[in-house]
Amino acid sequence: MRLLFTVFPALIFVVHTMAVSTLLVFSTLVDRRGWLWWPVVNFWGWGALQLAGVRRVHIQGLAGLRGLNCAILMANHDSYLDSPLLLGYGPEPIRIVAKRSLFFIPVFNLAMWGIGMIPIDRSNKKRAISSL
């Protein structure tokens, strides 16, 4: 029974991610700035957190980001929920650095490129730094 509660949400997460990725591909054809695709990305992050069992999120410090032209948000990767948290609750369209292998997943890769995510090759330090 425990396996069912692990496998089922994982399968739903994959379906959720692919459906949202398809929406993102089409929305980025119309809007590159983020006003159309950002709510879709927020929905993906929120949905991923719901599937992981996260029901409440408390955010501090967003007021410090208001009015800035740019900011760098760093996630420490204490869990797999860093990206859904940043994308699900970020105040404005943001881009994240993602490992390069994610950019080879069909449909998902088009969505990642379309919304401006930044691929990073962690196996090559020089190339990783130049991609930033």
Side-chain angles (χ1 to χ4, degrees), residues 97-109:
V97 174
K99 64 181 178 178
R100 187 172 173 262
S101 62
L102 292 174
F103 287 79
F104 293 104
I105 301 171
V107 182
F108 187 65
N109 65 344

Side-chain angles (χ1 to χ4, degrees), residues 14-55:
V14 170
V15 171
H16 173 70
T17 299
M18 294 314 288
V20 169
S21 294
T22 303
L23 280 173
L24 285 173
V25 168
F26 290 111
S27 66
T28 57
L29 294 173
V30 178
D31 171 37
R32 297 289 294 168
R33 297 184 57 108
W35 305 117
L36 185 60
W37 59 258
W38 184 243
V40 177
V41 171
N42 276 150
F43 174 72
W44 174 83
W46 176 84
L49 292 169
Q50 294 299 303
L51 287 168
V54 176
R55 298 296 181 249

Side-chain angles (χ1 to χ4, degrees), residues 113-129:
W113 284 113
I115 62 176
M117 298 302 177
I118 304 160
I120 191 162
D121 184 2
R122 298 187 305 181
S123 66
N124 185 324
K125 185 178 178 180
K126 224 176 200 177
R127 217 179 319 165
I129 291 170

Side-chain angles (χ1 to χ4, degrees), residues 49-92:
L49 292 169
Q50 294 299 303
L51 287 168
V54 176
R55 298 296 181 249
R56 282 189 309 185
V57 174
H58 178 74
I59 300 171
Q60 290 180 253
L62 282 182
L65 294 174
R66 306 256 186 253
L68 295 177
N69 289 333
C70 64
I72 296 174
L73 304 176
M74 300 290 289
N76 59 9
H77 286 302
D78 273 348
S79 74
Y80 290 111
L81 299 178
D82 293 338
S83 294
L85 279 166
L86 286 172
L87 297 173
Y89 291 91
E92 296 181 16

